[in-house]
Short mmCIF file of all heavy atoms in Angstrom, two decimals:
data_model
loop_
_atom_site.label_atom_id
_atom_site.label_comp_id
_atom_site.label_asym_id
_atom_site.label_seq_id
_atom_site.Cartn_x
_atom_site.Cartn_y
_atom_site.Cartn_z
N GLU X 9 19.51 -22.94 17.45
CA GLU X 9 20.15 -24.06 16.80
C GLU X 9 19.33 -24.47 15.59
O GLU X 9 18.12 -24.67 15.69
CB GLU X 9 20.23 -25.22 17.80
CG GLU X 9 21.09 -26.35 17.38
CD GLU X 9 21.16 -27.40 18.47
OE1 GLU X 9 21.55 -27.06 19.60
OE2 GLU X 9 20.76 -28.53 18.18
N ASN X 11 18.73 -27.31 12.83
CA ASN X 11 19.06 -28.69 12.53
C ASN X 11 18.66 -29.12 11.13
O ASN X 11 19.36 -29.86 10.49
CB ASN X 11 18.38 -29.62 13.54
CG ASN X 11 18.87 -29.39 14.94
OD1 ASN X 11 20.05 -29.13 15.14
ND2 ASN X 11 17.99 -29.45 15.91
N GLY X 13 16.35 -28.21 7.29
CA GLY X 13 15.70 -27.25 6.44
C GLY X 13 16.57 -26.13 5.92
O GLY X 13 16.09 -25.28 5.21
N GLU X 14 17.84 -26.09 6.28
CA GLU X 14 18.69 -25.03 5.82
C GLU X 14 19.35 -25.44 4.52
O GLU X 14 20.48 -25.89 4.48
CB GLU X 14 19.74 -24.68 6.88
CG GLU X 14 19.12 -24.10 8.12
CD GLU X 14 18.24 -22.91 7.83
OE1 GLU X 14 18.69 -21.96 7.18
OE2 GLU X 14 17.07 -22.93 8.24
N ASN X 23 8.38 -26.12 13.34
CA ASN X 23 8.02 -27.08 14.38
C ASN X 23 7.06 -26.50 15.41
O ASN X 23 6.90 -27.06 16.48
CB ASN X 23 9.28 -27.60 15.06
CG ASN X 23 10.03 -26.50 15.77
OD1 ASN X 23 9.64 -25.34 15.75
ND2 ASN X 23 11.14 -26.86 16.39
N TRP X 29 9.93 -16.10 12.12
CA TRP X 29 11.16 -16.49 11.42
C TRP X 29 10.84 -17.43 10.26
O TRP X 29 11.29 -17.23 9.14
CB TRP X 29 12.11 -17.16 12.42
CG TRP X 29 13.38 -17.65 11.83
CD1 TRP X 29 14.50 -16.92 11.58
CD2 TRP X 29 13.68 -18.99 11.42
NE1 TRP X 29 15.48 -17.73 11.04
CE2 TRP X 29 15.00 -19.00 10.94
CE3 TRP X 29 12.95 -20.18 11.43
CZ2 TRP X 29 15.60 -20.15 10.46
CZ3 TRP X 29 13.56 -21.32 10.95
CH2 TRP X 29 14.87 -21.30 10.48
N ARG X 33 11.29 -16.87 6.15
CA ARG X 33 12.11 -17.83 5.40
C ARG X 33 11.31 -18.51 4.29
O ARG X 33 11.81 -18.71 3.19
CB ARG X 33 12.67 -18.89 6.35
CG ARG X 33 13.55 -18.38 7.46
CD ARG X 33 14.86 -17.90 6.95
NE ARG X 33 15.53 -18.97 6.25
CZ ARG X 33 16.78 -19.32 6.43
NH1 ARG X 33 17.52 -18.65 7.27
NH2 ARG X 33 17.31 -20.31 5.76
N MET X 34 10.06 -18.85 4.59
CA MET X 34 9.24 -19.53 3.58
C MET X 34 8.91 -18.58 2.43
O MET X 34 8.95 -18.98 1.26
CB MET X 34 7.95 -20.06 4.22
CG MET X 34 7.13 -20.92 3.28
SD MET X 34 7.98 -22.35 2.58
CE MET X 34 8.00 -23.45 3.97
N ASP X 36 10.77 -16.11 1.40
CA ASP X 36 12.01 -16.00 0.62
C ASP X 36 12.23 -17.25 -0.23
O ASP X 36 12.64 -17.15 -1.39
CB ASP X 36 13.21 -15.80 1.55
CG ASP X 36 13.22 -14.44 2.21
OD1 ASP X 36 12.50 -13.53 1.73
OD2 ASP X 36 13.93 -14.28 3.22
N TYR X 43 8.53 -16.67 -8.45
CA TYR X 43 7.68 -15.67 -7.81
C TYR X 43 6.19 -15.98 -7.96
O TYR X 43 5.39 -15.61 -7.11
CB TYR X 43 7.98 -14.27 -8.35
CG TYR X 43 7.54 -13.20 -7.39
CD1 TYR X 43 8.36 -12.82 -6.35
CD2 TYR X 43 6.27 -12.63 -7.46
CE1 TYR X 43 7.96 -11.87 -5.43
CE2 TYR X 43 5.86 -11.68 -6.54
CZ TYR X 43 6.71 -11.30 -5.53
OH TYR X 43 6.30 -10.38 -4.62
N THR X 57 -10.47 -21.08 -16.39
CA THR X 57 -11.85 -20.67 -16.64
C THR X 57 -12.05 -20.32 -18.10
O THR X 57 -11.09 -20.16 -18.86
CB THR X 57 -12.24 -19.44 -15.79
OG1 THR X 57 -11.35 -18.37 -16.11
CG2 THR X 57 -12.18 -19.75 -14.31
N GLN X 59 -15.34 -18.33 -20.84
CA GLN X 59 -16.60 -17.61 -20.94
C GLN X 59 -17.63 -18.55 -21.57
O GLN X 59 -17.36 -19.15 -22.61
CB GLN X 59 -16.45 -16.36 -21.82
CG GLN X 59 -15.50 -15.32 -21.26
CD GLN X 59 -16.09 -14.56 -20.10
OE1 GLN X 59 -17.29 -14.37 -20.01
NE2 GLN X 59 -15.23 -14.14 -19.19
N ALA X 61 -21.79 -19.17 -23.03
CA ALA X 61 -22.65 -18.46 -23.99
C ALA X 61 -23.32 -17.24 -23.37
O ALA X 61 -23.63 -16.27 -24.08
CB ALA X 61 -23.72 -19.42 -24.53
N GLN X 62 -23.53 -17.24 -22.06
CA GLN X 62 -24.16 -16.10 -21.38
C GLN X 62 -23.12 -15.09 -20.87
O GLN X 62 -23.42 -14.24 -20.05
CB GLN X 62 -25.01 -16.58 -20.19
CG GLN X 62 -26.23 -17.38 -20.56
CD GLN X 62 -25.88 -18.83 -20.87
OE1 GLN X 62 -24.90 -19.38 -20.39
NE2 GLN X 62 -26.69 -19.46 -21.72
N SER X 63 -21.89 -15.21 -21.36
CA SER X 63 -20.77 -14.32 -20.97
C SER X 63 -20.44 -14.42 -19.48
O SER X 63 -19.97 -13.45 -18.88
CB SER X 63 -21.05 -12.87 -21.36
OG SER X 63 -21.15 -12.76 -22.75
N ALA X 75 -1.79 -26.12 -22.63
CA ALA X 75 -0.50 -26.27 -21.94
C ALA X 75 -0.32 -25.23 -20.83
O ALA X 75 0.18 -25.55 -19.75
CB ALA X 75 0.64 -26.17 -22.95
N ALA X 76 -0.73 -23.99 -21.05
CA ALA X 76 -0.58 -22.95 -20.04
C ALA X 76 -1.43 -23.26 -18.79
O ALA X 76 -1.01 -22.97 -17.67
CB ALA X 76 -0.98 -21.59 -20.62
N ASP X 77 -2.61 -23.83 -18.99
CA ASP X 77 -3.46 -24.21 -17.86
C ASP X 77 -2.76 -25.28 -17.01
O ASP X 77 -2.73 -25.18 -15.78
CB ASP X 77 -4.80 -24.75 -18.34
CG ASP X 77 -5.65 -23.70 -19.05
OD1 ASP X 77 -5.46 -22.51 -18.77
OD2 ASP X 77 -6.49 -24.10 -19.88
N GLU X 99 2.21 -29.71 13.09
CA GLU X 99 1.65 -28.63 12.29
C GLU X 99 0.86 -29.18 11.11
O GLU X 99 -0.17 -28.63 10.73
CB GLU X 99 2.75 -27.68 11.80
CG GLU X 99 3.42 -26.90 12.90
CD GLU X 99 2.46 -26.02 13.68
OE1 GLU X 99 1.58 -25.39 13.06
OE2 GLU X 99 2.57 -25.97 14.90
N GLN X 111 -5.05 -21.76 1.65
CA GLN X 111 -5.72 -22.25 2.86
C GLN X 111 -4.70 -22.71 3.90
O GLN X 111 -4.88 -22.47 5.09
CB GLN X 111 -6.67 -23.39 2.51
CG GLN X 111 -7.90 -22.97 1.76
CD GLN X 111 -8.78 -24.16 1.37
OE1 GLN X 111 -8.39 -25.32 1.53
NE2 GLN X 111 -9.95 -23.87 0.85
N ILE X 112 -3.64 -23.37 3.45
CA ILE X 112 -2.60 -23.82 4.38
C ILE X 112 -1.93 -22.63 5.03
O ILE X 112 -1.79 -22.57 6.26
CB ILE X 112 -1.55 -24.69 3.64
CG1 ILE X 112 -2.17 -26.01 3.19
CG2 ILE X 112 -0.33 -24.94 4.53
CD1 ILE X 112 -1.30 -26.83 2.26
N ALA X 115 -4.27 -20.97 7.49
CA ALA X 115 -4.52 -21.79 8.68
C ALA X 115 -3.34 -21.74 9.65
O ALA X 115 -3.52 -21.61 10.86
CB ALA X 115 -4.79 -23.24 8.27
N GLN X 125 -9.19 -9.81 14.75
CA GLN X 125 -9.95 -9.55 15.98
C GLN X 125 -9.13 -9.97 17.21
O GLN X 125 -9.09 -9.25 18.21
CB GLN X 125 -11.28 -10.28 15.93
CG GLN X 125 -12.17 -10.00 17.12
CD GLN X 125 -13.51 -10.73 17.02
OE1 GLN X 125 -13.75 -11.49 16.11
NE2 GLN X 125 -14.36 -10.48 17.99
N LYS X 130 -5.61 -8.49 21.86
CA LYS X 130 -4.34 -8.57 22.56
C LYS X 130 -3.73 -7.18 22.73
O LYS X 130 -3.22 -6.85 23.81
CB LYS X 130 -3.36 -9.47 21.80
CG LYS X 130 -3.68 -10.94 21.89
CD LYS X 130 -2.68 -11.76 21.10
CE LYS X 130 -3.02 -13.23 21.13
NZ LYS X 130 -2.08 -14.03 20.33
N MET X 135 -2.46 -2.54 26.16
CA MET X 135 -2.60 -1.10 26.40
C MET X 135 -3.26 -0.85 27.76
O MET X 135 -2.83 0.04 28.49
CB MET X 135 -3.42 -0.44 25.28
CG MET X 135 -2.69 -0.37 23.95
SD MET X 135 -1.20 0.62 24.01
CE MET X 135 -1.90 2.25 24.23
N PHE X 141 -0.56 0.44 34.92
CA PHE X 141 0.73 0.22 35.57
C PHE X 141 1.04 1.41 36.49
O PHE X 141 0.92 2.56 36.10
CB PHE X 141 1.82 0.08 34.51
CG PHE X 141 3.18 -0.18 35.09
CD1 PHE X 141 3.52 -1.43 35.55
CD2 PHE X 141 4.12 0.84 35.18
CE1 PHE X 141 4.76 -1.68 36.08
CE2 PHE X 141 5.37 0.60 35.70
CZ PHE X 141 5.70 -0.67 36.15
N LYS X 144 4.51 0.83 43.03
CA LYS X 144 4.00 0.49 44.35
C LYS X 144 4.88 1.17 45.40
O LYS X 144 6.04 1.54 45.12
CB LYS X 144 4.01 -1.03 44.53
CG LYS X 144 3.03 -1.70 43.61
CD LYS X 144 2.96 -3.17 43.87
CE LYS X 144 1.94 -3.76 42.92
NZ LYS X 144 1.83 -5.19 43.05
N GLU X 145 4.36 1.32 46.61
CA GLU X 145 5.07 2.05 47.66
C GLU X 145 6.40 1.37 48.01
O GLU X 145 7.37 2.04 48.32
CB GLU X 145 4.19 2.17 48.89
CG GLU X 145 3.04 3.12 48.69
CD GLU X 145 2.19 3.23 49.93
OE1 GLU X 145 2.69 2.97 51.03
OE2 GLU X 145 1.02 3.59 49.78
#
Side-chain angles (χ1 to χ4, degrees):
E9 191 177 303
N11 297 322
E14 295 306 306
N23 63 359
W29 178 82
R33 300 289 302 228
M34 187 57 75
D36 290 343
Y43 202 84
T57 59
Q59 296 286 330
Q62 293 80 26
S63 297
D77 295 334
E99 292 300 318
Q111 288 177 352
I112 292 170
Q125 184 179 4
K130 287 179 182 178
M135 289 298 291
F141 181 77
K144 294 185 179 177
E145 289 181 24

